[in-house]
Amino acid sequence: APDIGAYEFGQTPWRAGHDFGKFPDIDTTRSIPLFRNRLGNSAFEHENHLSPWEVSGEYDLITGSKIHTTPDTAQLRMGRHSISLTVKGELSQQITGLETNSWFEFSAFVRVKWGDKVIIGVRNPDGSEQLGTIMEGNYPKWNRLKLSFKTSADQQNAEVFIRKLSGENTFYIDDCGLVYQGDYPDLP
């Protein structure tokens, strides 16, 4: 039976404090949280470039300032930047290193003028696309579009995109995200 107290019979005596003669093993490996945002430059805050985003069509990097108490009707949401795209433009980003056979949620905040239509989607390696719900004009408010999708048993890559479908006006994009949702079984 164990002894009672800090000293165990026949064992090395316990000592309070740090043992400066024995250095601890320190692991400096950076952790990569599973539920992190998988998109690079997701809020367009890299002031001199859009990388790793690709753009088709004309775009502008909108710069401004907004405090958290300002109504959500400005040309940007949070931070100092957003992106505006023109007629039938598309903003996309290639994502690698996704978990196979797992669910993800892609989301983006958009601000679209009345009469215009925008959609978000995911392009698979075979070229097929999974599309979200079409967003019609919501100006001057921002709306969050989201799309859940599942990777296949051998799929580790995908391309996410935000696409202008119709209309003649500029639309705005900000605060995008791609987050792991898990490996939940398919619902019937």
Side-chain angles (χ1 to χ4, degrees):
D3 298 327
I4 297 175
Y7 295 100
E8 295 287 328
F9 182 74
Q11 301 294 322
T12 305
W14 175 83
R15 294 187 324 177
H18 183 74
D19 182 358
F20 289 98
K22 180 181 178 192
F23 293 101
D25 293 327
I26 299 173
D27 183 0
T28 59
T29 305
R30 292 186 67 182
S31 66
I32 301 176
L34 183 61
F35 294 94
R36 70 193 182 280
N37 187 353
R38 305 299 177 97
L39 297 178
N41 197 11
S42 62
F44 313 109
E45 296 300 321
H46 297 170
E47 296 180 18
N48 59 349
H49 62 83
L50 281 179
S51 181
W53 292 99
E54 297 288 329
V55 182
S56 65
E58 294 180 28
Y59 75 93
D60 281 319
L61 178 64
I62 306 299
T63 302
S65 63
K66 181 177 182 285
I67 58 175
H68 295 287
T69 57
T70 305
D72 207 9
T73 56
Q75 290 182 336
L76 50 100
R77 288 198 69 245
M78 309 265 290
R80 297 188 59 228
H81 298 93
S82 69
I83 295 296
S84 69
L85 288 177
T86 57
V87 180
K88 295 199 178 178
E90 182 177 289
L91 182 69
S92 63
Q93 188 174 138
Q94 292 282 343
I95 310 299
T96 60
L98 297 175
E99 286 73 15
T100 59
N101 209 30
S102 296
W103 285 96
F104 290 86
E105 180 181 88
F106 172 50
S107 66
F109 281 88
V110 297
R111 184 176 182 236
V112 183
K113 294 206 175 173
W114 298 106
D116 292 1
K117 296 179 181 179
V118 171
I119 196 165
I120 65 171
V122 176
R123 193 172 295 115
N124 296 309
D126 65 3
S128 65
E129 293 181 346
Q130 299 174 56
L131 301 174
T133 303
I134 294 173
M135 174 72 207
E136 296 196 43
N138 60 330
Y139 188 87
K141 302 284 186 185
W142 288 88
N143 279 34
R144 181 175 181 239
L145 300 180
K146 59 184 180 176
L147 170 66
S148 292
F149 68 96
K150 187 176 183 182
T151 55
S152 66
D154 61 349
Q155 178 183 356
Q156 292 184 307
N157 303 326
E159 182 179 11
V160 296
F161 61 86
I162 303 126
R163 179 185 300 152
K164 176 84 173 275
L165 295 175
S166 65
E168 300 300 318
N169 299 299
T170 297
F171 78 102
Y172 300 89
I173 307 165
D174 206 354
D175 299 332
C176 302
L178 177 64
V179 180
Y180 174 78
Q181 296 292 304
D183 56 357
Y184 305 113
D186 289 330
L187 298 175

